Amino acid sequence: MCKEYHILTVQTIAVVLSIDVDDQIHLDSPYLSLKVYEKHMISFCFPQMKHQGKPPEGNLTAWKEFVLWGFADVPQLQWFLFGLFFVIYMIILLGNGTILVITKVEPALQTPMYFFLGNFSFLEISYVSVTLPRMLLNLGTQRRTISLVACATQMCFILVLGATECFLLAVMAYDRYVAICNPLQYPLVMNYKVCIQLVAASWISGIPFQVGQTFQVFSLPYCASNVINHFFCDISPILKLACGETFTNELMVYVAALLFVSAPFLLILISYIKIISTVLKLPSATSRAKAFSTCSSHLTVVVLFFGSAIITYLRPEASHSAETDKVLSLFYTIVTPMFNPMIYSLRNKDVIMALRKLLGK
């Protein structure tokens, strides 16, 4: 029976064997994992040898590449998703690129607030460029494989840039705190040298920890499936493929979330508590409205980014699901960078005037 079984088509094999979620492979893809096929062939022909759990340490498979599953479970939507994400990527590049240019060339925007905004726009372009081009390549070609080195590099950049974004949002909140709560001291406190130091600290603070965390994750042995049920190389779905003990790695994920997500968010929260307290004491409604308007854009971005990031990385492991993680990841990796230029331009008169001057030239 096993001899006859080998002549079945790949599609029939998938139906007969009921391939697990962790072993899902796009049936039209040439990258059907032989290891997955062999595992199910053994289970089918020799029930007594059915695989139970992860293989012992001596039988580990040293994967040299992974498969980014992404949105392969909806093959009928591949080209629609390609078009959608391509348009989003162009919007992100155009919007954030425009903000970056006007904060550099417009004299009226040569202030600490817009210096930080220009750096933030550059960061958003960098952050999105780590994930979206690879996703578009996978959707357009259906070649979903990614080498071990490329996957590790992508993860490292995502972690470092994500930490930078958290710190930079905290710096922007501090800038608004000084401007509103200590306006007379603002030019002295937020001078050019201090701004450079704050931005540099935001960019480099997360590098040592996140590089170390990436190295530790990819030092683990991997077995069974090599399919990452995500659209980029994120820590959680990769750790699910690891063999052996991953407690230390999972602990490091929570430590990183506390250091690079929760701590900056707490600083932002403290800044806004003091800002709101100060604004409410202002004598006129006009002054209060003007003060709030300078913070509303930043506060909206903070809620979008930190809300999705905190839910993704700090919620209990039992509540994790691959599909939910993908949706939440879309928010802080793609949706937020797309809306940031709109949020800052639509609610900021200085930016709107600078845009009009730029377009009028």
Side-chain angles (χ1 to χ4, degrees):
M1 179 177 177
C2 290
K3 182 177 180 181
E4 296 173 352
Y5 183 78
H6 275 285
I7 65 173
L8 294 175
T9 63
V10 170
Q11 288 84 352
T12 308
I13 292 171
V15 174
V16 173
L17 298 179
S18 300
I19 292 177
D20 299 334
V21 173
D22 287 341
D23 297 332
Q24 287 177 322
I25 301 291
H26 192 229
L27 295 179
D28 295 328
S29 169
Y31 296 96
L32 180 63
S33 171
L34 292 177
K35 291 295 179 183
V36 174
Y37 173 82
E38 289 171 3
K39 186 181 77 171
H40 290 287
M41 281 295 299
I42 291 171
S43 299
F44 182 81
C45 299
F46 307 98
Q48 68 276 16
M49 296 179 62
K50 187 174 182 180
H51 176 77
Q52 295 293 338
K54 293 181 178 179
E57 294 292 327
N59 294 330
L60 300 182
T61 299
W63 292 110
K64 294 183 179 179
E65 63 182 15
F66 290 106
V67 177
L68 285 171
W69 183 248
F71 303 97
D73 50 343
V74 283
Q76 70 278 11
L77 297 178
Q78 297 300 292
W79 286 108
F80 168 77
L81 291 174
F82 177 87
L84 175 64
F85 289 130
F86 179 80
V87 170
I88 289 175
Y89 189 41
M90 292 299 104
I91 292 173
I92 291 171
L93 293 180
L94 179 62
N96 286 285
T98 302
I99 295 291
L100 179 60
V101 170
I102 64 173
T103 55
K104 296 295 182 183
V105 302
E106 178 57 43
L109 302 183
Q110 302 304 304
T111 64
M113 175 181 174
Y114 297 109
F115 173 74
F116 295 134
L117 180 57
N119 275 274
F120 187 70
S121 295
F122 176 73
L123 173 63
E124 293 288 58
I125 292 172
S126 304
Y127 192 56
V128 170
S129 296
V130 175
T131 57
L132 260 179
R134 167 67 68 170
M135 190 195 307
L136 291 172
L137 178 66
N138 293 346
L139 288 170
T141 65
Q142 298 301 305
R143 297 179 58 140
R144 303 179 184 279
T145 54
I146 181 170
S147 70
L148 192 71
V149 173
C151 191
T153 303
Q154 186 186 56
M155 176 188 287
C156 187
F157 273 103
I158 289 170
L159 293 177
V160 170
L161 294 175
T164 301
E165 182 154 353
C166 293
F167 285 131
L168 195 53
L169 285 170
V171 167
M172 294 169 76
Y174 175 70
D175 171 72
R176 292 299 82 207
Y177 159 73
V178 177
I180 293 174
C181 299
N182 298 291
L184 298 179
Q185 299 293 320
Y186 183 71
L188 180 63
V189 175
M190 300 302 293
N191 59 64
Y192 183 74
K193 182 179 179 180
V194 171
C195 292
I196 292 291
Q197 290 172 342
L198 288 172
V199 168
S202 298
W203 278 92
I204 66 177
S205 294
I207 292 177
F209 187 95
Q210 302 293 23
V211 170
Q213 182 168 229
T214 303
F215 179 79
Q216 190 176 33
V217 168
F218 283 90
S219 296
L220 292 169
Y222 290 90
C223 59
S225 174
N226 66 334
V227 180
I228 301 172
N229 196 1
H230 213 296
F231 58 86
F232 66 90
C233 292
D234 201 7
I235 289 185
S236 296
I238 291 179
L239 285 179
K240 290 178 181 177
L241 307 180
C243 299
E245 182 57 55
T246 60
F247 174 77
T248 302
N249 302 88
E250 292 168 359
L251 181 62
M252 283 188 68
V253 171
Y254 280 101
V255 171
L258 290 173
L259 289 175
F260 305 118
V261 180
S262 298
F265 181 73
L266 183 61
L267 293 174
I268 292 171
L269 189 61
I270 293 172
S271 297
Y272 273 103
I273 289 174
K274 293 185 176 182
I275 288 171
I276 293 171
S277 176
T278 301
V279 170
L280 291 177
K281 294 176 183 177
L282 294 176
S284 68
T286 303
S287 299
R288 290 194 294 270
K290 185 177 180 181
F292 276 127
S293 67
T294 64
C295 302
S296 58
S297 300
H298 177 259
L299 191 57
T300 303
V301 172
V302 166
V303 171
L304 284 173
F305 179 78
F306 278 96
S308 55
I310 288 174
I311 294 173
T312 300
Y313 292 105
L314 289 179
R315 75 184 194 274
E317 185 66 26
S319 63
H320 278 250
S321 72
E323 300 310 315
T324 303
D325 286 349
K326 286 183 201 177
V327 173
L328 290 172
S329 297
L330 283 173
F331 269 93
Y332 68 83
T333 59
I334 296 175
V335 176
T336 302
M338 180 180 67
F339 283 112
N340 284 349
M342 303 177 197
I343 293 170
Y344 278 109
S345 61
L346 292 177
R347 299 188 60 86
N348 192 304
K349 293 180 180 179
D350 293 334
V351 174
I352 291 174
M353 291 178 62
L355 281 172
R356 288 175 178 172
K357 287 178 63 176
L358 182 66
L359 296 174
K361 289 181 180 181

